[in-house]
Amino acid sequence: MIKVIMCGHGDIACSMKNSVEMIFGKADALLPITFEKGECPADIEQKITPLISEHDEVLIVTDFFGGSPFNVSSKLALAHQNVEAITGMSLPLCLEVMSNIDDLSLSDLANYLVKVGANCVKKFNKAVILETEEDFI
Amino acid sequence: MIKVIMCGHGDIACSMKNSVEMIFGKADALLPITFEKGECPADIEQKITPLISEHDEVLIVTDFFGGSPFNVSSKLALAHQNVEAITGMSLPLCLEVMSNIDDLSLSDLANYLVKVGANCVKKFNKAVILETEEDFI
């Protein structure tokens, strides 16, 4: 069973788990970790490492590429065969995690998230709608 | 001057602004809005509408496509010429907002975010690194 450690600056991971649960219901697979002001990368490592040993397969989802949470999770993914690390945490991505966690292997889940992640950001294209409305005038 | 209304389920937008400020420093252009359990789309509209009238140009950034925050913001973007709406809020996206808000027009900023948003989700590719290490053995 895959567990998902979420880690980002501040308490963003905790807030995001709460948001997921507002939409999806109970999400016990998500394990949020804070990274508070004044903490250093070693603090993140100290929080994540015990969770890795407790679980068979772990996906670490962090906030952004190049940040301390991602750097630490990459180091841990390299050191542990049962760990994959991705970055770019968002609510649509976490909802995709919850929808697919029971059906995909750890590696397939990570690859799938990168694929769907490319389409998470969308703009409401009002120009198209306004043009369409003009057609009916 | 562009203002950015952030809105997502729960208090995710407030947490995200705090995370941005941990990294970027003061981010007065970001105006986070909560969408709590028990509230309805009309509540979101009631919170956002006064902010639109207070500012010249407004970008609304919401959590995910099809959710109430995005649906309300799309309706408001259609009704107000000075409003654009995008979805897929994440920390890398908000950092891109802060890095470009003073240099781009409202429309260009929204389009730019969709473009960079496609690359926000990345996987740490440990297979490549392990293969490279093997080359040096």
Side-chain angles (χ1 to χ4, degrees):
Chain A
M1 196 161 168
I2 302 169
K3 290 282 180 179
V4 180
I5 299 170
M6 305 159 72
C7 182
H9 288 72
D11 65 355
I12 187 86
C14 304
S15 270
M16 198 154 301
K17 179 177 177 178
N18 290 338
S19 301
V20 169
E21 292 194 325
M22 267 182 82
I23 298 153
F24 200 90
K26 209 96 186 98
D28 292 331
L30 305 182
L31 310 173
I33 298 286
T34 57
F35 176 41
E36 304 289 351
K37 215 170 170 170
E39 287 188 320
C40 65
D43 294 311
I44 302 175
E45 193 169 340
Q46 214 164 2
K47 292 179 196 182
I48 295 181
T49 304
L51 295 174
I52 291 177
S53 16
E54 277 170 32
H55 301 287
D56 290 341
E57 291 188 298
V58 171
L59 175 68
I60 312 177
V61 182
T62 56
D63 49 2
F64 69 97
F65 187 79
S68 298
F70 182 68
N71 295 344
V72 170
S73 68
S74 302
K75 182 185 160 190
L76 292 170
L78 202 58
H80 299 268
Q81 227 184 339
N82 64 329
V83 176
E84 294 280 355
I86 69 162
T87 192
M89 182 165 65
S90 67
L91 197 47
L93 206 72
C94 292
L95 293 174
E96 288 286 355
V97 166
M98 293 311 300
S99 302
N100 294 283
I101 197 166
D102 293 332
D103 303 320
L104 297 178
S105 70
L106 176 62
S107 165
D108 285 350
L109 181 61
N111 290 330
Y112 173 74
L113 292 173
V114 174
K115 201 173 138 198
V116 297
N119 286 313
C120 284
V121 178
K122 294 180 198 294
K123 179 187 159 190
F124 173 65
N125 197 339
K126 60 179 171 180
V128 168
I129 291 179
L130 290 170
E131 269 168 30
T132 315
E133 278 180 351
E134 271 167 22
D135 289 344
F136 288 98
I137 290 169
Chain B
M1 195 162 166
I2 303 169
K3 290 282 180 180
V4 180
I5 298 171
M6 305 159 71
C7 182
H9 288 70
D11 65 355
I12 186 89
C14 304
S15 270
M16 198 154 300
K17 180 177 176 179
N18 290 339
S19 301
V20 170
E21 291 194 327
M22 266 183 82
I23 299 153
F24 200 92
K26 208 95 186 102
D28 293 331
L30 305 182
L31 310 173
I33 298 285
T34 58
F35 176 41
E36 303 290 351
K37 217 171 169 168
E39 288 187 319
C40 66
D43 295 310
I44 302 174
E45 193 169 340
Q46 214 164 4
K47 292 179 197 183
I48 295 181
T49 304
L51 295 174
I52 291 177
S53 15
E54 277 170 32
H55 300 288
D56 290 341
E57 290 187 299
V58 171
L59 175 67
I60 311 177
V61 181
T62 57
D63 48 2
F64 68 97
F65 187 79
S68 298
F70 182 68
N71 295 345
V72 170
S73 68
S74 301
K75 182 184 160 191
L76 292 170
L78 203 58
H80 299 269
Q81 229 185 338
N82 63 329
V83 177
E84 295 280 355
I86 69 162
T87 192
M89 182 165 65
S90 67
L91 197 48
L93 207 72
C94 293
L95 293 174
E96 287 286 354
V97 166
M98 293 311 300
S99 302
N100 293 283
I101 196 165
D102 293 331
D103 303 320
L104 297 178
S105 70
L106 176 61
S107 165
D108 285 350
L109 181 62
N111 291 330
Y112 173 74
L113 292 173
V114 174
K115 202 173 137 195
V116 296
N119 287 311
C120 284
V121 179
K122 294 181 198 294
K123 180 188 159 190
F124 173 66
N125 198 338
K126 60 180 172 180
V128 168
I129 291 179
L130 290 171
E131 269 168 29
T132 314
E133 279 181 351
E134 272 168 19
D135 288 345
F136 287 98
I137 290 170

